[in-house]
Amino acid sequence: MIPLYLALGGAAGAIARYYVQGWVADLTGPSAWGTFAVNVAGSFALGLFLTATEERIVVPSEVRVLVAVGFIGSFTTFSTLMWESQQLLEVSDFLGFAANLVGSLVVGLVAMYVGILAGRLA
């Protein structure tokens, strides 16, 4: 039954990622901002969900698999982050490359921490 939860969560996460990245691209034009937004939102969501379900709210393990591994795992985009960073290097956009990587890591960590704090308040 776990593979079904993974598949359902993964499909929903991939669809959500597609639409969030498209929405950000509509606002900013073609750029790495969509991936950045998805990674930060995913970091927050994973921190919030896992902390809340470990410390405050009891949910079945199937729900944790569906949401954390399936949905959020599919929604976040580390491999896409690496690809877009490489593309920035190829066009010698070193500032964009550094901002994309460092920004995603630093802001992602901050979002994760805020998610953890929010999960503890839930």
Side-chain angles (χ1 to χ4, degrees):
M1 198 63 167
I2 293 295
L4 178 61
Y5 291 109
L6 287 170
L8 291 173
I15 292 167
R17 170 185 162 189
Y18 175 81
Y19 282 107
V20 169
Q21 284 185 300
W23 175 71
V24 173
D26 288 346
L27 294 175
T28 65
S31 68
W33 284 113
T35 302
F36 179 80
V38 164
N39 284 334
V40 170
S43 294
F44 172 81
L46 189 61
L48 172 64
F49 179 76
L50 289 179
T51 300
T53 59
E54 285 178 3
E55 297 180 11
R56 303 264 183 211
I57 304 164
V58 177
V59 298
S61 61
E62 295 86 357
V63 172
R64 288 174 54 90
V65 166
L66 182 131
V67 174
V69 181
F71 182 85
I72 298 172
S74 179
F75 180 72
T76 57
T77 56
F78 190 77
S79 59
T80 305
L81 170 67
M82 294 299 105
W83 173 260
E84 290 176 347
S85 296
Q86 175 61 33
Q87 297 301 301
L88 291 168
L89 276 178
E90 285 188 13
V91 297
S92 300
D93 184 355
F94 301 113
L95 181 58
F97 167 78
N100 192 39
L101 281 181
V102 173
S104 291
L105 292 173
V106 171
V107 177
L109 281 171
V110 170
M112 176 66 73
Y113 181 69
V114 172
I116 289 168
L117 293 178
R120 289 184 175 146
L121 294 174

